[in-house]
Amino acid sequence: MPANAPTNRPATAYFEAVARLLAAMEVTDANGGGIEVDIATDDVAQTIRRVRAAAKKIILIGNGGSASIAGHMEMDLCNRVGVRAHVFNDPPVLTALANDHGYESAFERMVRLWAEPGDCVVAISSSGQSENILRGVGAARERACEVVTFSGFKPDNPLRARGDRNFYVPSCDYGEVEVAHHTLGHYLTDHAAAGERTRP
């Protein structure tokens, strides 16, 4: 997979590039239809509030840097929004499942154990191709969960076709995609904590 591209750009140029990527973010629905970013983020924030009101939970899955983003969102969802949120990053459990059954099935198994109808699963993958994330989403569908995906790299990556709301960052640089995903996660939790947004 592509790695972070070395850069000798000035910091301001890098920040401007990330800002352009955020502005270029695309969102699609379960049928591949385009959705305006403001509408899609409102929808996801409303889903978070619905999950909280129904005493359901948000499950977040990701690998590496995406696991870090998932963990940060878990913290904000629990602490700021007051909704039950959970990641599967506990090393003993994750390594046991990976060792005994293969890493590609670890999240799938955990989602099947934890997820219930009415929960929401947030799946984060820069490439959108990680097998364990795709299988975790498949398990979420089996459990009648709503699914939100964050991805990047190729516009036809498989994860982008698996969610009810699919946020896509048009870049093949891990760092840029991860910064955009982290910003999106912050916005969604801040928006959910603030309550309904009045559109102009």
Side-chain angles (χ1 to χ4, degrees):
M1 304 308 298
N4 285 356
T7 183
N8 57 6
R9 291 179 288 177
T12 52
Y14 182 85
F15 300 153
E16 287 167 1
V18 170
R20 284 193 297 271
L21 274 178
L22 286 165
M25 186 180 295
E26 300 172 9
V27 191
T28 51
D29 62 20
N31 298 313
I35 312 171
E36 291 181 17
V37 172
D38 285 345
I39 293 173
T41 51
D42 282 354
D43 289 348
V44 175
Q46 181 59 34
T47 292
I48 294 168
R49 291 189 288 267
R50 175 190 58 74
V51 167
R52 178 181 61 191
K56 297 296 184 177
K57 57 190 173 293
I58 310 284
I59 293 170
L60 305 106
I61 56 175
N63 297 305
S66 297
S68 173
I69 295 165
H72 196 130
M73 286 187 69
E74 175 200 32
M75 174 190 69
D76 285 342
L77 287 165
C78 292
N79 188 41
R80 298 195 63 245
V81 186
V83 63
R84 291 191 299 159
H86 191 62
V87 295
F88 302 133
N89 297 346
D90 183 55
V93 176
L94 190 56
T95 55
L97 289 170
N99 183 66
D100 293 352
H101 305 286
Y103 189 57
E104 67 279 359
S105 70
F107 290 141
E108 176 185 25
R109 287 175 173 272
M110 292 296 279
V111 169
R112 284 189 176 136
L113 282 171
W114 283 85
E116 301 171 311
D119 289 346
C120 176
V121 171
V122 178
I124 308 170
S125 170
S126 293
S127 70
Q129 298 186 79
S130 299
E131 182 65 21
N132 61 342
I133 302 298
L134 296 171
R135 289 173 63 165
V137 167
R141 288 298 189 195
E142 291 173 9
R143 291 289 189 265
C145 297
E146 187 161 343
V147 175
V148 176
T149 75
F150 297 6
S151 68
F153 290 20
K154 296 180 181 178
D156 61 347
N157 75 72
L159 184 61
R160 193 181 179 193
R162 306 289 176 91
D164 298 290
R165 295 291 179 267
N166 303 285
F167 293 85
Y168 168 73
V169 178
S171 173
C172 288
D173 180 272
Y174 271 110
E176 292 179 348
V177 174
E178 288 171 353
V179 168
H181 285 171
H182 208 146
T183 303
L184 173 62
H186 262 296
Y187 178 78
L188 291 172
T189 54
D190 287 351
H191 185 10
E196 298 287 347
R197 180 171 70 84
T198 302
R199 293 198 185 109

